[in-house]
Coordinates of all heavy atoms in Angstrom, one line a residue:
N278 N 79.4 76.3 91.7 CA 78.4 75.6 90.9 C 78.8 75.7 89.4 O 79.7 76.5 89.0 CB 77.1 76.2 91.0 CG 76.5 76.1 92.4 OD1 76.8 75.2 93.1 ND2 75.8 77.2 92.9
S279 N 78.3 74.8 88.6 CA 78.5 74.8 87.1 C 80.0 74.8 86.9 O 80.5 75.6 86.1 CB 77.9 76.1 86.5 OG 76.5 76.1 86.7
L280 N 80.7 74.0 87.5 CA 82.2 73.9 87.4 C 82.6 73.5 86.1 O 82.0 72.7 85.3 CB 82.7 72.9 88.5 CG 82.8 73.5 89.9 CD1 82.9 72.4 90.9 CD2 83.9 74.5 90.1
K281 N 83.8 74.1 85.7 CA 84.4 73.9 84.4 C 85.7 73.3 84.5 O 86.4 73.5 85.6 CB 84.5 75.2 83.6 CG 83.2 76.0 83.5 CD 83.4 77.3 82.9 CE 82.1 78.2 82.8 NZ 82.3 79.5 82.2
P282 N 86.3 72.6 83.5 CA 87.6 72.1 83.7 C 88.7 73.1 84.0 O 89.7 72.8 84.7 CB 87.9 71.5 82.3 CG 86.5 71.1 81.8 CD 85.6 72.1 82.3
E283 N 88.4 74.4 83.5 CA 89.4 75.4 83.8 C 89.4 75.9 85.2 O 90.2 76.7 85.6 CB 89.2 76.6 82.8 CG 87.8 77.1 82.7 CD 87.0 76.5 81.5 OE1 87.2 75.3 81.3 OE2 86.3 77.3 80.9
D284 N 88.4 75.4 86.0 CA 88.4 75.7 87.4 C 89.3 74.8 88.2 O 89.5 75.0 89.4 CB 86.9 75.6 88.0 CG 86.0 76.6 87.4 OD1 86.4 77.8 87.3 OD2 84.8 76.2 87.1
T285 N 89.9 73.8 87.5 CA 90.8 72.9 88.2 C 92.0 73.7 88.8 O 92.7 74.5 88.1 CB 91.3 71.9 87.2 OG1 90.2 71.1 86.8 CG2 92.4 71.0 87.9
A286 N 92.2 73.6 90.0 CA 93.3 74.3 90.7 C 93.4 73.9 92.2 O 92.5 73.2 92.7 CB 93.1 75.8 90.7
V287 N 94.4 74.3 92.9 CA 94.5 74.3 94.3 C 93.8 75.5 94.8 O 94.2 76.6 94.4 CB 95.9 74.1 94.9 CG1 95.9 74.1 96.4 CG2 96.5 72.9 94.3
Y288 N 92.9 75.4 95.7 CA 92.1 76.5 96.3 C 92.6 76.8 97.7 O 92.7 75.8 98.5 CB 90.6 76.2 96.3 CG 90.1 76.4 94.9 CD1 90.3 75.5 93.9 CD2 89.3 77.5 94.5 CE1 89.8 75.6 92.6 CE2 88.7 77.6 93.3 CZ 89.0 76.7 92.3 OH 88.4 76.9 91.1
Y289 N 92.9 78.1 98.0 CA 93.4 78.4 99.3 C 92.5 79.5 99.9 O 92.0 80.3 99.2 CB 94.8 79.1 99.1 CG 95.9 78.2 98.5 CD1 96.1 78.2 97.2 CD2 96.7 77.5 99.4 CE1 97.1 77.4 96.7 CE2 97.7 76.7 98.9 CZ 97.9 76.6 97.5 OH 98.9 75.9 97.0
C290 N 92.4 79.4 101.2 CA 91.7 80.5 101.9 C 92.8 81.4 102.6 O 93.9 80.9 102.9 CB 90.7 80.0 102.9 SG 91.3 79.2 104.3
A291 N 92.4 82.6 102.8 CA 93.4 83.6 103.3 C 92.7 84.5 104.2 O 91.5 84.8 104.1 CB 94.1 84.3 102.2
A292 N 93.4 85.1 105.2 CA 92.9 86.0 106.2 C 93.7 87.3 106.2 O 94.9 87.3 106.1 CB 92.9 85.4 107.5
N293 N 93.0 88.5 106.3 CA 93.5 89.7 106.5 C 93.1 90.4 107.8 O 91.9 90.6 108.0 CB 93.2 90.7 105.3 CG 93.7 92.1 105.5 OD1 93.5 92.8 106.5 ND2 94.4 92.5 104.4
P294 N 94.0 90.6 108.7 CA 93.7 91.1 110.0 C 93.5 92.6 110.2 O 93.1 93.1 111.3 CB 94.8 90.6 110.9 CG 96.0 90.6 110.0 CD 95.5 90.3 108.6
T295 N 93.9 93.3 109.2 CA 94.0 94.8 109.3 C 93.1 95.6 108.5 O 92.9 96.8 108.8 CB 95.5 95.2 109.0 OG1 95.8 94.9 107.6 CG2 96.5 94.6 109.9
S296 N 92.5 95.1 107.5 CA 91.6 95.9 106.6 C 90.3 95.1 106.3 O 90.3 93.9 106.2 CB 92.3 96.2 105.3 OG 91.4 96.9 104.5
D297 N 89.2 95.9 106.3 CA 87.9 95.3 105.9 C 87.4 95.8 104.6 O 86.3 95.6 104.2 CB 86.9 95.5 107.0 CG 85.8 94.4 107.0 OD1 86.1 93.3 106.7 OD2 84.7 94.8 107.4
T298 N 88.3 96.5 103.9 CA 87.9 97.1 102.6 C 88.2 96.1 101.5 O 89.2 96.1 100.7 CB 88.7 98.4 102.3 OG1 88.6 99.3 103.4 CG2 88.2 99.1 101.1
I299 N 87.3 95.1 101.4 CA 87.6 93.9 100.6 C 87.7 94.2 99.1 O 88.3 93.5 98.3 CB 86.6 92.8 100.8 CG1 85.2 93.3 100.5 CG2 86.7 92.3 102.3 CD1 84.2 92.1 100.5
M300 N 87.2 95.3 98.7 CA 87.2 95.6 97.2 C 88.6 95.8 96.7 O 88.9 95.7 95.6 CB 86.4 96.9 96.9 CG 84.9 96.8 97.2 SD 84.1 95.6 96.1 CE 84.1 96.5 94.6
V301 N 89.5 96.2 97.7 CA 90.9 96.4 97.3 C 91.8 95.3 97.8 O 93.0 95.3 97.5 CB 91.4 97.8 97.8 CG1 90.7 98.9 97.1 CG2 91.4 97.9 99.3
L302 N 91.3 94.3 98.4 CA 92.1 93.2 98.9 C 92.0 92.0 97.9 O 91.3 91.0 98.1 CB 91.6 92.8 100.3 CG 91.6 93.8 101.4 CD1 91.0 93.3 102.7 CD2 93.0 94.4 101.6
T303 N 92.7 92.2 96.8 CA 92.5 91.2 95.7 C 93.8 90.6 95.2 O 93.8 90.0 94.2 CB 91.8 91.9 94.5 OG1 92.6 93.0 94.1 CG2 90.4 92.4 94.9
T304 N 94.9 90.8 96.0 CA 96.1 90.2 95.6 C 96.6 89.3 96.8 O 96.3 89.6 98.0 CB 97.2 91.1 95.2 OG1 97.6 91.9 96.3 CG2 96.7 92.1 94.1
A305 N 97.5 88.4 96.5 CA 98.0 87.5 97.5 C 98.7 88.2 98.6 O 98.7 87.9 99.8 CB 98.9 86.4 96.9
R306 N 99.4 89.3 98.2 CA 100.2 90.1 99.2 C 99.3 90.9 100.2 O 99.8 91.4 101.2 CB 101.2 91.0 98.5 CG 100.5 92.1 97.7 CD 101.6 93.0 97.1 NE 101.0 94.0 96.3 CZ 100.8 93.9 94.9 NH1 101.1 92.8 94.4 NH2 100.2 94.9 94.3
D307 N 98.0 90.9 99.9 CA 97.1 91.6 100.8 C 96.7 90.7 102.0 O 96.0 91.3 102.9 CB 95.8 92.0 100.1 CG 96.1 93.1 99.0 OD1 96.9 94.0 99.3 OD2 95.5 93.0 97.9
Y308 N 97.1 89.5 102.0 CA 96.7 88.6 103.0 C 97.8 88.0 103.8 O 98.9 87.7 103.2 CB 95.8 87.5 102.4 CG 94.5 88.0 101.9 CD1 94.4 88.5 100.6 CD2 93.3 88.0 102.7 CE1 93.3 89.1 100.2 CE2 92.2 88.5 102.2 CZ 92.1 89.1 101.0 OH 90.9 89.6 100.5
D309 N 97.7 87.9 105.1 CA 98.8 87.6 106.0 C 98.8 86.0 106.3 O 99.9 85.5 106.6 CB 98.8 88.4 107.3 CG 98.9 89.8 107.0 OD1 99.7 90.2 106.2 OD2 98.3 90.6 107.7
Y310 N 97.7 85.5 106.3 CA 97.6 84.0 106.8 C 96.9 83.2 105.7 O 95.9 83.7 105.0 CB 96.8 84.0 108.1 CG 97.3 84.8 109.2 CD1 96.7 86.0 109.5 CD2 98.5 84.5 109.8 CE1 97.2 86.8 110.5 CE2 99.1 85.2 110.8 CZ 98.4 86.4 111.2 OH 98.9 87.2 112.2
W311 N 97.4 82.0 105.5 CA 97.0 81.1 104.5 C 96.8 79.7 105.0 O 97.5 79.3 105.9 CB 98.1 81.1 103.4 CG 98.2 82.4 102.7 CD1 98.9 83.4 103.0 CD2 97.5 82.7 101.4 NE1 98.8 84.5 102.1 CE2 97.9 84.1 101.1 CE3 96.6 82.1 100.6 CZ2 97.4 84.8 100.0 CZ3 96.1 82.8 99.5 CH2 96.5 84.1 99.2
G312 N 95.8 79.0 104.4 CA 95.7 77.6 104.6 C 96.6 76.8 103.7 O 97.4 77.4 102.9
Q313 N 96.6 75.5 103.8 CA 97.5 74.6 103.1 C 96.9 74.3 101.6 O 97.7 73.8 100.8 CB 97.7 73.3 103.8 CG 96.6 72.2 103.6 CD 95.3 72.6 104.3 OE1 95.2 73.5 105.1 NE2 94.2 71.8 104.0
G314 N 95.7 74.6 101.4 CA 95.1 74.5 100.1 C 94.4 73.1 100.0 O 94.7 72.2 100.7
T315 N 93.4 73.1 99.1 CA 92.6 71.9 98.8 C 92.5 71.8 97.3 O 92.2 72.8 96.6 CB 91.3 71.9 99.5 OG1 90.6 70.6 99.3 CG2 90.4 73.0 99.0
Q316 N 92.8 70.6 96.8 CA 92.7 70.4 95.3 C 91.3 70.3 94.8 O 90.5 69.4 95.3 CB 93.6 69.1 94.9 CG 93.5 68.8 93.5 CD 94.3 69.8 92.6 OE1 95.5 70.1 93.0 NE2 93.7 70.2 91.5
V317 N 91.0 71.0 93.7 CA 89.8 70.8 93.0 C 90.1 70.4 91.6 O 90.9 71.1 90.9 CB 89.0 72.1 93.0 CG1 87.7 72.0 92.1 CG2 88.5 72.5 94.4
T318 N 89.5 69.3 91.2 CA 89.8 68.8 89.8 C 88.4 68.6 89.1 O 87.6 67.9 89.6 CB 90.5 67.5 89.8 OG1 91.8 67.7 90.5 CG2 90.8 67.0 88.4
V319 N 88.3 69.3 88.0 CA 87.0 69.2 87.2 C 87.3 68.4 85.9 O 88.1 68.9 85.1 CB 86.5 70.6 87.0 CG1 85.1 70.4 86.3 CG2 86.3 71.4 88.3
S320 N 86.6 67.3 85.8 CA 86.9 66.6 84.5 C 85.9 66.9 83.4 O 84.7 67.3 83.8 CB 86.8 65.1 84.9 OG 85.5 64.7 85.3

């Protein structure tokens, strides 16, 4: 909500099969599986 132009990016979802401690799962290398991405453009 309340999208801003700086939110413009490709958005990816990711999955981690081994840990549920999400507070420390905050980098790309923490996730094993990725989608192809979806473009969000805010004018």
